[in-house]
Amino acid sequence: MPRRSLQRVVLPNTPRGLPRRTRPATRRGAPSSAKLAARAVVGACAAKRAIKREAMRDCGRRCVYCATPLEISIATLDHVFPLAHGGTHAHGNLVTACGPCNRLKGDLLPHEFFARYPWAGANFVRYARAVHRSLKRGARRAVSLALAEAA
């Protein structure tokens, strides 16, 4: 088998201070930072859409507070235990809500919100199927206390 020989390349002398390289430093075919940022945005949007579809399925395609039927285009994701109070983006903390109910709840804790609006708590217990049990228990307790005080 013939051996490949190494050839020595001699570069012409260049005056000091001038670069020897004349091509741009970027490689051809490598994505630019703008393309990478666009891919990240598209990936984030697709992930949020998937989470929203999953929450819609778990909540029976309804607002968990007022029980209004929702379409995916008008549904919003609500954190039952708000991010402002240490809540997470976990599956058991996300539900679908209509815009007005989501704004009405704001960053109230679940028991505060259900104590103010018992009708929302009753619907929450009925439609929020994938929510953590402790949150549902708190909703039942807040609704029963609010109804007992009203009587």
Side-chain angles (χ1 to χ4, degrees), residues 1-78:
M1 210 187 281
R3 232 176 168 189
R4 292 184 184 174
S5 63
L6 297 176
Q7 294 178 358
R8 184 174 176 185
V9 177
V10 179
L11 297 174
N13 290 333
T14 57
R16 290 185 180 233
L18 292 177
R20 289 184 177 194
R21 189 178 243 189
T22 58
R23 291 186 313 184
T26 59
R27 294 181 294 176
R28 293 181 190 203
S32 67
S33 60
K35 286 182 182 178
L36 289 174
R39 284 183 193 163
V41 168
V42 169
C45 290
K48 186 173 181 179
R49 243 188 327 261
I51 291 169
K52 196 176 191 181
R53 267 190 249 111
E54 186 177 324
M56 287 280 287
R57 184 195 66 223
D58 291 341
C59 297
R61 304 186 68 80
R62 291 184 176 271
C63 171
V64 294
Y65 302 122
C66 67
T68 305
L70 293 175
E71 293 179 19
I72 193 118
S73 59
I74 60 170
T76 61
L77 285 175
D78 180 48

